[in-house]
Amino acid sequence: MSDISNVSGTSPRLGGTHVSTTPVWSVDPRSGKRRERVGVEASAGEVGVVVRAAWEARGSLVDRGVRAGFLRGAAGLLEASGDVLVEVADAETALGGVRLRGELARTCYQLRAFADVVEEGSFLGVIIDHPDAAATPPVPDLRRFKVPLGVVAVYAASNFPFAFSVAGGDTASALAAGCPVVVKAHPDHPGLSERVAAVLRRAAVERGLPAGVVGLVHGFEAGVALVGHPLVAAAGFTGSVRGGRALFDAAAARPVPIPFHGELGSLNPVVVTQAAASERAEEIGAGLAGSMTLGVGQFCVKPGLVLVPASPEGDRLVEALAGGVARAAAGVLLDGRMRDNFVAGVAERAALAGVECPVVPGGEGERGVRAGFLTVPAGRLTEPGAHDVLLEECFGPVTVVARYGDPAEVDAVLARLPGNLTATVHLSAGESEGQGRAGEL
């Protein structure tokens, strides 16, 4: 097991005409105090050095057996370093050891799963058309298979420091395809990012690959420079709509546009039918409380909008939701900026006409937040106006419950939503068995 307790020197030395001196600090979100200086933000020139190192390493990934061995080796080294990595991850994210150990296990599973795919080989999509001179017209010798694009830029997520970060799914899939990776580390867990990158580089070297096959850079400007670098062939991003949109636009505006694969913020609407509310109002309400407060409301699929009938059964559901949310413990978000945005966001929403707060969300002490939810008549959301903010994600432990009187209001609200990661419908037993008319609430 390598010594990953000291991050000094884990990144390759960087050159360029301009060298950044802006420090990168690891910060404890529970206290807001700096833990350690991780390094410095990368300048555009320094980003270029890391990208070129990755580009020059691309030929080393041609052998699929080597790629599979690299991915499995990385999984093994991550597991061997698990105690230290989880300790650092918790110190930087406050997500808790139990959650983080599960996420690390998922990350190692992803790496091994992609190794299996690499060895199996069907992802190459190989097609061979043999020549036939006797055919009319004659058939030439035609062969098709997929080849790696080149260097992939990966933008790490804040809320999954293992599974959607340096060694996460975007990195694993790119390496499996034979593409070197340069990761833009998330500022919420820079110390962990350096340590995980060091593990991946060690796994690469142990398989005879250049360490530059996995690069890591820090800083906002580094992220902008990365997506615009001419040797970067694709980008993967997990994060906010605003950040993802800016990077997508930059990728599309290049002289040679590149693919941009983004998982952006999501409202994840939930619809509860009248029949479902009549059948199990308390069960649904309690389940929603657990879902929206899970991980202090920082999961990508947190339900941010719940459409509930304006009926006595719907009232029971809301009462059960209120009880569950009120019992949820206060927690700490990933960083102070997110906490500020959460407090401001819920205050803005709560001030709108017609909005009520059965359980008031907001700040708790100097660093924490408390869960809550808002209610609003669904009709307020069917037309553009001041209430549009209720149809936008508010990151943290809050959801909006829209009470509808007519199923047509549900259709009107859903028609106004942009793309989402998930959508859920709670049906009664009769509806789920097809006894109700398809599509009818």
Side-chain angles (χ1 to χ4, degrees):
M1 172 178 160
S2 61
D3 178 11
I4 59 171
S5 62
N6 184 350
V7 300
S8 177
T10 58
S11 293
R13 289 186 63 84
L14 303 173
T17 57
H18 170 67
V19 177
S20 172
T21 58
T22 303
V24 174
W25 292 95
S26 170
V27 177
D28 182 346
R30 294 181 175 96
S31 65
K33 295 180 179 179
R34 292 173 174 175
R35 298 179 57 254
E36 63 179 342
R37 176 170 167 163
V38 173
V40 296
E41 296 183 359
S43 67
E46 292 166 336
V47 169
V49 172
V50 178
V51 171
R52 180 161 290 278
W55 184 81
E56 291 175 348
R58 68 196 189 285
S60 66
L61 292 170
V62 170
D63 188 302
R64 288 193 287 125
V66 172
R67 296 206 308 259
F70 170 33
L71 293 169
R72 291 197 181 99
L77 290 177
L78 286 170
E79 288 173 337
S81 304
D83 289 344
V84 173
L85 294 175
V86 168
E87 181 180 358
V88 174
D90 181 54
E92 290 189 318
T93 67
L95 290 174
V98 173
R99 147 75 193 274
L100 290 166
R101 286 187 182 89
E103 189 184 328
L104 177 58
R106 166 183 170 169
T107 303
C108 295
Y109 173 84
Q110 287 177 163
L111 290 164
R112 293 189 173 106
F114 276 111
D116 293 342
V117 171
V118 170
E119 288 183 330
E120 191 271 336
S122 63
F123 74 96
L124 293 170
V126 176
I127 296 177
I128 300 176
D129 288 338
H130 294 287
D132 184 356
T136 304
V139 176
D141 187 345
L142 295 176
R143 304 179 182 221
R144 188 202 75 175
F145 58 93
K146 296 175 183 176
V147 298
L149 282 173
V151 178
V152 174
V154 171
Y155 294 81
S158 62
N159 55 342
F160 281 85
F162 288 116
F164 289 85
S165 189
V166 176
D170 285 349
T171 297
S173 60
L175 293 171
C179 297
V181 171
V182 177
V183 180
K184 190 276 180 185
H186 198 280
D188 282 349
H189 42 83
L192 177 68
S193 298
E194 284 284 354
R195 288 167 171 85
V196 172
V199 170
L200 295 184
R201 293 190 190 106
R202 180 185 171 191
V205 171
E206 288 184 355
R207 297 298 301 187
L209 300 171
V213 76
V214 176
L216 182 72
V217 296
H218 297 272
F220 176 83
E221 294 300 330
V224 175
L226 184 59
V227 76
H229 196 284
L231 295 182
V232 168
F237 172 87
T238 303
S240 68
V241 173
R242 181 180 179 184
R245 182 75 222 189
L247 291 172
F248 170 82
D249 290 344
R254 291 168 40 131
V256 179
I258 60 173
F260 178 86
H261 306 276
E263 180 190 313
L264 312 187
S266 181
L267 200 60
N268 306 306
V270 176
V271 176
V272 182
T273 68
Q274 174 58 45
S278 299
E279 184 177 86
R280 57 186 195 283
E282 289 78 12
E283 177 185 339
I284 295 173
L288 284 170
S291 183
M292 59 154 287
T293 60
L294 183 66
V296 201
Q298 296 176 114
F299 274 70
C300 304
V301 292
K302 180 205 75 177
L305 175 67
V306 187
L307 290 143
V308 174
S311 65
E313 295 80 10
D315 294 342
R316 285 169 35 215
L317 188 156
V318 172
E319 289 173 6
L321 173 62
V325 172
R327 289 189 293 272
V332 176
L333 296 184
L334 292 162
D335 64 38
R337 176 184 56 83
M338 290 182 185
R339 181 187 185 277
D340 292 344
N341 289 341
F342 172 76
V343 172
V346 295
E348 177 187 8
R349 289 161 172 79
L352 294 171
V355 173
E356 297 180 357
C357 298
V359 180
V360 180
E364 184 75 14
E366 293 185 3
R367 307 294 304 174
V369 296
R370 63 180 181 275
F373 69 98
L374 316 175
T375 63
V376 66
R380 297 268 189 176
L381 307 179
T382 59
E383 299 292 338
H387 290 74
D388 286 356
V389 69
L390 297 175
L391 302 180
E392 299 174 4
E393 180 186 28
C394 185
F395 193 75
V398 65
T399 195
V400 174
V401 177
R403 307 296 301 273
Y404 67 89
D406 188 304
E409 289 183 310
V410 176
D411 293 337
V413 172
L414 295 179
R416 300 200 60 223
L417 299 185
N420 283 276
L421 290 173
T422 69
T424 303
V425 180
H426 284 278
L427 303 171
S428 69
E431 290 171 321
S432 63
E433 291 171 2
Q435 295 178 9
R437 288 182 294 170
E440 182 179 78
L441 295 176

